[in-house]
Amino acid sequence: MSKVTAETVRRVNGLTARWAHALPEGTAFSAPGVWPLLGFLADGAAGPARAELAEALGVPADHAAGAARELLVALAEVPGLDTALGLWTHQGLALREEWRSGLPAGTYGVFGDDLVTAQERLDAWAAERTGGLVERMPVTLTRDARMVLAGALALRTTWRQPFGEQPLRPDAGPWQGRTLRGLHRRSPRPDRVGVTGTPDGFVTALTVPGDNGVDVHLVLGEERMTPGQVLAAGVGIVERALPLSAGGALPHGHVGPGLYVEQQPAVAPAPLTLDVRTVAYEVRADHDLLALAPLFGLTAAADARHAHFPGISDYPLAIGAARQSALAQFGPLGFRAAAVTAVAAEPGGIPAPPQYRYESTVVRAVFDRPFGFLAVDRESRLVLVAGWVTDPAPEPVMSFPGAVPPGL
């Protein structure tokens, strides 16, 4: 990724970390899916709404649209990432040309009073722009809707080294007693895992490299830590703001959450090895951004008693809805994720046993209880999608021809 400043990356990653603290468990979300929309809104806002949006962005309102365009251009250059921006207005709403011209070309459409047809068009846009991962627009058009500003992103990467599939049966923790779709692999790269200390506790981080410049980082904290604390630490690790003690330099023993360095029998001399066990997962989430209005700078902008966007239109506008739908899938071959964010403006103002003769040192990382993930552009260290896994995929039930269905 080029053409995006380190400062913009820091600001967007900062929103990721703050949002993580405010979310429930079992979620997926994308700050880069929201940030440009807030930037364009800030450009057309006035009064308290303009000040709040600028504060949420960390960018002066006068520079917000430029920063949003810069981020969109940079996102378009990330291999495996497809992005789109869309703007639709009611046929009766006149926009200020200077504001509309600041948006990327080809983003503008109009809808009329046939809301069913208009909603179908918006839903089709969301599905098309995410390869079907998100099937519909997260906001629903109402009679009061005058404008919808939406962003979509779809991310995919294939692991450089695929995982093998092996059932995982945790013997402790929230997943105890379940048979999960476990993923396992060994590699000679022990430094792909490490541990760091934070004021909230220790965090283990594993990097799973993709083949196109996108990496997925799995982060596991101490059991007492909250998802927000673990994911915020993950952001610090990605940005290299938190020092990581690499697996190859760790002493023998239980050295971090889910992380062990130990001697194991071997049939031949072997180098230091990383052994990873984790789970396949799919996480879907829907977010009401107005429920966290202060986080996104939307408190004043949602007050329908006033008009907040004179730079967008002479018609008095307020934010009536702001939502994001997101999905993340992690499997043996790779990772896929998508997010659609929309803001709607309304009036308002694993033969025989081998003979072991040697021992080898193995760094063993086990993700067998709830953990976080961050999909990251390797070059810029921008977090594209993040989330928390609480309900991993179960091991598929094997079916055999002629088998008697359970209960019969």
Side-chain angles (χ1 to χ4, degrees), residues 32-369:
V34 176
W35 205 88
L37 306 186
L38 299 179
F40 290 123
L41 288 174
D43 181 53
R50 185 176 178 88
E52 288 180 3
L53 284 161
E55 183 177 358
L57 289 161
V59 176
D62 290 346
H63 301 150
R69 286 191 294 270
E70 170 200 302
L71 180 60
L72 288 173
V73 169
L75 291 174
E77 296 181 358
V78 176
L81 180 67
D82 295 324
T83 61
L85 188 82
L87 171 69
W88 298 266
T89 61
H90 186 270
Q91 58 191 13
L93 181 72
L95 295 176
R96 289 192 182 278
E97 183 56 32
E98 57 267 36
W99 181 81
R100 196 183 82 174
S101 65
L103 273 63
T107 61
Y108 184 51
V110 175
F111 62 89
D113 293 329
D114 182 354
L115 299 185
V116 172
T117 299
Q119 188 71 49
E120 288 175 350
R121 286 170 51 207
L122 267 61
D123 292 346
W125 182 90
E128 180 183 349
R129 296 304 189 276
T130 62
L133 293 177
V134 177
E135 297 177 349
R136 56 184 59 87
M137 191 69 75
V139 298
T140 301
L141 289 174
T142 66
R143 290 292 175 194
D144 288 333
R146 288 297 174 266
M147 183 182 81
V148 175
L149 180 63
L153 61 82
L155 175 67
R156 59 197 176 279
T157 192
T158 300
W159 306 136
R160 288 181 179 175
Q161 176 192 358
F163 287 86
E165 296 193 57
Q166 188 178 90
L168 181 64
R169 301 179 181 88
D171 54 13
W175 300 341
Q176 182 178 11
R178 296 180 59 183
T179 301
L180 305 172
R181 186 183 176 196
L183 304 178
H184 172 250
R185 76 180 192 190
R186 279 198 167 203
S187 82
R189 301 293 299 271
D191 289 352
R192 294 210 185 282
V193 73
V195 63
T196 190
T198 77
D200 302 310
F202 288 97
V203 174
T204 294
L206 170 74
T207 301
V208 186
D211 66 350
N212 58 359
V214 172
D215 299 332
V216 176
H217 299 257
L218 305 185
V219 285
L220 180 70
E222 297 183 36
E223 293 189 51
R224 60 184 172 81
M225 294 175 69
T226 67
Q229 291 171 336
V230 177
L231 285 168
V235 172
I237 292 167
V238 165
E239 294 187 332
R240 300 177 188 169
L242 284 177
L244 199 66
S245 298
L250 295 171
H252 283 64
H254 184 182
V255 293
L259 190 61
Y260 310 83
V261 180
E262 54 198 23
Q263 295 296 112
Q264 292 186 1
V267 295
L272 188 61
T273 301
L274 173 61
D275 183 291
V276 174
R277 295 180 187 272
T278 185
V279 292
Y281 59 81
E282 177 178 294
V283 180
R284 293 179 181 269
D286 292 297
H287 307 287
D288 181 356
L289 307 188
L290 292 186
L292 298 170
L295 176 66
F296 300 104
L298 293 173
T299 303
D303 184 349
R305 296 172 299 176
H306 303 280
H308 305 284
F309 300 96
I312 296 178
S313 175
D314 286 334
Y315 187 91
L317 296 173
I319 302 303
R323 304 187 65 89
Q324 182 180 92
S325 294
L327 170 143
Q329 298 172 330
F330 185 107
L333 302 180
F335 179 86
R336 297 198 305 168
V340 175
T341 311
V343 177
E346 301 178 350
I350 196 201
Q355 300 299 309
Y356 297 111
R357 299 177 54 199
Y358 303 92
E359 284 191 333
S360 65
T361 301
V362 175
V363 180
R364 188 162 58 88
V366 184
F367 293 79
D368 61 355
R369 57 180 173 81

